[in-house]
Amino acid sequence: MSRLKICHTIISLIISFCLYAVINCEAKKPLLPPSRDTLRGTRLGSKAVPGEKIFNVKNFGAIPNGRKDNTQAFMKTWVAACHFKGRARVLIPPGVYALGPLIFAGPCIGPSPIIVQVSGTLKGDTDISLYEEPAWFQFENIDGLIVTGGGAFDGQGESAWKYNDCKNNNDCVQLPSNIKLNKVSNAILRGFTSADSKGVHIFITNSQNIRLKRLHIVAPGDSPNTDGVHISTSINVKVSKTIIATGDDCIGMIKGSTDVAINKVTCGPGHGISIGSLGKYENEEDVRGITVKNTTFLKTDNGIRIKTWPGSTPSLATGMIFQDLVMDNVRNPIIIDQGYCPSGCKKQPSRVKISNIQYINIRGTSSSEVGVNLMCSPQYQCENIHLFNINLKHIGNGPITATCANARVSTFGGLQSPRVTCHN
């Protein structure tokens, strides 16, 4: 090799290293002042502590035979535990419990957290007319909650999916989620299974400081709108070491999602991990501070997707890091779609402003020829996009390409396959 080629190689490596350092330096700048994380590194609720009182649902009339409606027995158990002045644990022993819609509401008067230990299998009622709200098992207005155990929430969603018309109706009625957190702070959901939800599996809204760990979330790949985790208007949510295989987004983050961290998740089948859809409604809150790391996508429709509606009111989607991701036979590994509309939309530019997006160390295979698709709004172009070490191959060993419009890519570094050329 000539000295000139050696010098050129060394210079390229130095430039790539500097770009990587800049990207990681920017990635470490907090978007918002860090909130106090009271749940970090804890095993709260895994074992009973001295002085803790156990409220067993069977002592309040629950019968785990899979037929008797145990809704009232569960409610009585919760009310007693929530009004107990000491430490309380709701115990759901092994067995099959038939249940209608429930609301476990606070505030509770004892020291937090209150614990719900799920060792049995809970079966959601199949009579859709019983659900006044789109939620089956709802936790509301609670500060300090742990839902743990090796049990399962089985929504029996197959009975309801035929009523879902969201594919052809942008204003469709949402079917009940398996679990909903509304106005909940400082909560851990750990170790259980969520199966066959009628709608979204776990819906988190108006909440803060939430941890989801070691969950197993499953539904058939063709089940409609069965998102694994759906986050809205919530701050400081972390999802880790979780397996999600459903018929829609593994994780979806919509309006007002702030400081969301996803780590060591296996996603697929499903639609991938989505920021959005954004801009469907008037005056949506911004989405900020999303991190997805060390995650694998298995035969999903999309890998990392940002999707916004056309004709939206102005809002922001900014400060996102997608790093160390593996794509295994994914149709759209990296996609920004600012013309998202399932049906019947006016052709107007999206006014969601996308900026400060970092794609770092993303590798694997694409089932389509387009590995990177950045289709941004012509009115509000995407800005400050970073691409570092993108190594995607077509599953059929054919060429892999990229499309890009209305995006300003600030940084290219390391390997670029496919190579992105933007048309503004």
Side-chain angles (χ1 to χ4, degrees):
M1 183 182 291
S2 68
R3 289 184 179 181
L4 182 61
K5 287 184 177 179
I6 292 172
C7 290
H8 183 269
T9 301
I10 292 171
I11 290 169
S12 297
L13 288 171
I14 292 171
I15 291 172
S16 294
F17 178 79
C18 291
L19 290 172
Y20 184 72
V22 168
I23 289 173
N24 277 277
C25 181
E26 288 182 6
K28 291 175 182 177
K29 292 178 182 177
L31 225 71
L32 296 172
S35 56
R36 181 171 175 264
D37 190 351
T38 59
L39 306 177
R40 183 177 176 83
T42 66
R43 290 288 296 166
L44 287 170
S46 57
K47 295 181 179 179
V49 298
E52 181 181 279
K53 183 171 181 178
I54 295 176
F55 293 81
N56 189 326
V57 294
K58 293 171 73 173
N59 294 337
F60 290 81
I63 299 176
N65 61 8
R67 298 183 302 275
K68 182 184 182 299
D69 181 6
N70 291 289
T71 307
Q72 290 304 313
F74 272 55
M75 284 303 306
K76 290 176 182 177
T77 310
W78 171 259
V79 169
C82 188
H83 287 83
F84 180 62
K85 292 183 178 180
R87 295 191 178 277
R89 178 186 299 257
V90 173
L91 175 62
I92 304 170
V96 180
Y97 300 84
L99 291 165
L102 290 152
I103 300 179
F104 280 11
C108 297
I109 65 174
S112 67
I114 188 168
I115 300 166
V116 178
Q117 180 177 329
V118 183
S119 298
T121 297
L122 315 183
K123 296 272 192 180
D125 201 301
T126 58
D127 184 354
I128 201 70
S129 68
L130 295 176
Y131 298 84
E132 296 180 4
E133 296 185 41
W136 169 34
F137 216 108
Q138 186 169 182
F139 298 92
E140 186 173 274
N141 198 24
I142 302 169
D143 183 4
L145 170 71
I146 298 174
V147 184
T148 187
F153 293 81
D154 181 356
Q156 300 196 100
E158 188 176 2
S159 63
W161 294 331
K162 60 187 175 185
Y163 301 115
N164 184 300
D165 65 344
C166 294
K167 189 173 183 178
N168 301 311
N169 180 6
N170 291 337
D171 297 314
C172 61
V173 175
Q174 298 299 316
L175 294 175
S177 56
N178 266 5
I179 298 169
K180 182 177 180 180
L181 305 185
N182 181 32
K183 299 179 182 178
V184 173
S185 300
N186 304 307
I188 299 173
L189 277 60
R190 181 180 59 219
F192 58 80
T193 294
S194 176
D196 292 347
S197 181
K198 296 175 178 66
V200 170
H201 281 259
I202 299 174
F203 183 21
I204 301 169
T205 186
N206 303 310
S207 297
Q208 62 180 346
N209 204 15
I210 309 295
R211 302 290 174 269
L212 279 60
K213 303 174 67 174
R214 296 185 175 88
L215 301 181
H216 193 192
I217 301 173
V218 292
D222 60 354
S223 56
N225 297 101
T226 53
D227 302 53
V229 180
H230 194 65
I231 303 167
S232 168
T233 320
S234 294
I235 300 172
N236 195 16
V237 178
K238 296 185 178 181
V239 184
S240 64
K241 299 178 181 178
T242 287
I243 296 172
I244 306 174
T246 69
D248 209 298
D249 293 335
C250 291
I251 301 173
M253 293 151 277
I254 62 169
K255 58 181 181 177
S257 297
T258 303
D259 289 345
V260 178
I262 299 163
N263 189 35
K264 297 180 180 178
V265 167
T266 300
C267 170
H271 294 180
I273 291 179
S274 293
I275 293 83
S277 58
L278 306 177
K280 183 177 181 180
Y281 304 104
E282 296 287 323
N283 304 315
E284 288 188 0
E285 302 112 310
D286 298 340
V287 173
R288 298 174 177 268
I290 309 298
T291 302
V292 182
K293 293 185 177 181
N294 305 306
T295 288
T296 299
F297 299 82
L298 304 174
K299 297 181 180 179
T300 50
D301 286 353
N302 308 287
I304 288 293
R305 174 171 59 163
I306 303 173
K307 54 180 178 176
T308 73
W309 287 74
S312 56
T313 55
S315 64
L316 298 177
T318 188
M320 303 181 195
I321 303 168
F322 307 121
Q323 184 171 358
D324 298 326
L325 309 181
V326 176
M327 307 289 170
D328 184 353
N329 198 4
V330 173
R331 187 183 303 168
N332 301 298
I334 297 173
I335 179 170
I336 296 177
D337 179 6
Q338 290 214 257
Y340 174 80
C341 177
S343 64
C345 293
K346 297 179 181 178
K347 293 194 175 292
Q348 299 175 338
S350 172
R351 290 190 286 173
V352 178
K353 177 68 174 180
I354 296 172
S355 63
N356 302 317
I357 312 297
Q358 301 170 19
Y359 300 96
I360 306 169
N361 298 338
I362 299 177
R363 62 184 174 86
T365 55
S366 171
S367 61
S368 71
E369 293 181 355
V370 180
V372 178
N373 186 358
L374 309 179
M375 303 305 291
C376 298
S377 169
Q379 184 171 357
Y380 291 96
Q381 294 188 347
C382 299
E383 291 186 341
N384 202 18
I385 308 295
H386 300 273
L387 295 165
F388 184 89
N389 275 350
I390 308 300
N391 185 10
L392 297 169
K393 301 181 187 304
H394 186 250
I395 195 72
N397 294 320
I400 190 158
T401 63
T403 58
C404 183
N406 308 310
R408 297 176 182 174
V409 180
S410 302
T411 305
F412 291 100
L415 181 63
Q416 295 293 317
S417 175
R419 186 165 294 279
V420 177
T421 301
C422 288
H423 303 283
N424 297 322

